[in-house]
Amino acid sequence: MAKYSVVFHPSETVIEAVKELKEQLSAKIGWYPSKNSLAHVTICEFEYELATYENIKSRITTFCSYQNPFDVTFNAFENFTNGAFFIAPDTESKNKMAEIMKEIPKQIQFPVSHKSTEPHISIGRQLSAQQLKEAYNLFQKINLNFTCEGITIRVFNPERKQYDVLETIPFLSEMEPEKEQLTLF
């Protein structure tokens, strides 16, 4: 049984920028949860045997074949009440990502252990009120952009206690069969 995470995976440039922000925060407040995790936007997580995973992957692949790549902008620092400090997307990016984030667990058709409905890139988790204050003092402006070109599936690596990229399923911009037929007449 393996633990999987389905995410939007940003560009290398964004991953490096977020890594740098995490280093700056760590230099200020010390180690904190999610300091070492690479930038991503969580869609959902699940634990299944390989055969079930292959079935799920097939469903996600079909869904992705009908999606179009789209540009996103993350341009604000925010936090959740649980102490998560993160970079939030602009309204248009948030709406587009949230639409897909709602759809993926439906497409999977198997129970998921966690699903996210609020697109964000975490900088730190479980921060105290004082650590959050330090983070807001440290970071004022942000503007990260990338093109969402697919859905990435990661698998948990128990030795590193982090997720490793397993595969990325591309958005292929294909016409859905029932929509295709409507355009013939």
Side-chain angles (χ1 to χ4, degrees):
M1 180 102 68
K3 188 174 179 183
Y4 300 94
S5 171
V6 181
V7 303
F8 291 112
H9 209 269
S11 65
E12 277 307 312
T13 311
V14 168
I15 289 172
E16 287 306 314
V18 171
K19 197 182 282 185
E20 179 57 34
L21 294 173
K22 289 181 178 214
E23 288 301 324
Q24 289 175 36
L25 184 59
S26 172
K28 193 86 171 152
I29 69 170
W31 186 90
Y32 56 86
S34 91
K35 177 198 173 292
N36 296 324
S37 81
L38 292 182
H40 64 277
V41 178
T42 301
I43 297 171
C44 64
E45 295 171 356
F46 53 83
E47 280 185 64
Y48 286 108
E49 301 295 338
L50 186 61
T52 305
Y53 165 74
E54 289 296 336
N55 189 332
I56 289 170
K57 182 181 93 173
S58 167
R59 291 164 191 268
I60 293 172
T61 301
T62 300
F63 173 77
C64 287
S65 66
Y66 303 120
Q67 303 308 305
N68 298 313
F70 58 97
D71 295 328
V72 292
T73 298
F74 282 77
N75 61 358
F77 290 107
E78 293 181 17
N79 68 279
F80 293 128
T81 54
N82 66 4
F85 180 72
F86 61 90
I87 309 167
D90 65 16
T91 305
E92 188 181 332
S93 301
K94 178 180 177 171
N95 292 343
K96 183 64 182 156
M97 294 176 101
E99 194 180 295
I100 291 174
M101 290 166 77
K102 270 191 222 129
E103 198 55 41
I104 291 285
K106 289 181 197 168
Q107 295 295 321
I108 289 174
Q109 296 180 346
F110 286 93
V112 295
S113 55
H114 168 78
K115 61 182 158 192
S116 177
T117 53
E118 190 74 35
H120 65 281
I121 298 174
S122 293
I123 301 296
R125 290 184 298 114
Q126 300 166 6
L127 302 182
S128 68
Q130 183 55 42
Q131 289 172 319
L132 282 170
K133 189 176 169 189
E134 297 269 4
Y136 277 110
N137 287 338
L138 195 57
F139 307 121
Q140 266 84 58
K141 287 190 172 142
I142 188 81
N143 191 2
L144 300 174
N145 305 284
F146 64 95
T147 302
C148 269
E149 298 180 295
I151 299 292
T152 297
I153 301 175
R154 306 176 313 159
V155 64
F156 190 71
N157 179 330
E159 283 153 33
R160 291 190 324 109
K161 304 222 181 311
Q162 294 289 334
Y163 283 95
D164 295 329
V165 170
L166 191 57
E167 54 198 309
T168 296
I169 302 167
F171 292 155
L172 299 177
S173 307
E174 291 177 5
M175 183 77 79
E176 289 187 61
E178 63 273 12
K179 287 183 181 166
E180 217 171 78
Q181 277 186 319
L182 294 175
T183 59
L184 295 176
F185 303 102

